[in-house]
Amino acid sequence: MIGQANSVAQFQMFMSDFQQAQTIQTQIGADAQKQQMERWKILQDTQTKIFEIQQDVTVNKAKTQDKMFNKWDEYIRS
C-alpha cells in the first residue's frame, strides 16, 4: 500500500513538472513570436523610411538640376 501511494505521489510530481515544462515551452513560443513580429515591424519601418529618403533625394536632385539649368539659361541669355 505504501509503495503504491509512493508511486502515485511520484506520478503526480511528474505530471506537475510536465505541465510546468509545457507552460514554459508555450511562454517561450509566445515570446519568440512576439519578438519576430517586433523585428518585422522594425524592418517595415526601416524600409518605409529608406523609401521616403530616396524620394526626398530624387526630388532634391531634380530641383537642384532645375536651378542649375535656369542659372545656365539665364547666363546664356544675358
Side-chain angles (χ1 to χ4, degrees):
M1 200 59 122
I2 293 176
Q4 187 178 6
N6 207 9
S7 293
V8 170
Q10 286 180 342
F11 180 72
Q12 288 174 340
M13 286 174 42
F14 168 78
M15 288 305 293
S16 175
D17 290 346
F18 181 74
Q19 288 173 342
Q20 286 177 346
Q22 283 184 319
T23 300
I24 291 169
Q25 182 181 8
T26 302
Q27 290 172 345
I28 290 170
D31 289 346
Q33 185 177 15
K34 181 180 176 186
Q35 290 173 358
Q36 179 64 28
M37 292 305 294
E38 288 173 359
R39 285 191 296 270
W40 179 251
K41 177 70 174 134
I42 290 168
L43 177 63
Q44 286 179 322
D45 291 347
T46 302
Q47 288 176 333
T48 298
K49 194 65 177 173
I50 289 169
F51 181 72
E52 290 171 355
I53 291 169
Q54 287 175 331
Q55 283 182 320
D56 289 346
V57 168
T58 302
V59 168
N60 287 337
K61 278 185 176 181
K63 286 180 181 178
T64 301
Q65 290 171 352
D66 283 349
K67 286 179 186 176
M68 290 171 49
F69 174 79
N70 288 338
K71 289 290 184 186
W72 179 250
D73 187 54
E74 187 179 305
Y75 173 75
I76 297 295
R77 291 179 190 263
S78 57

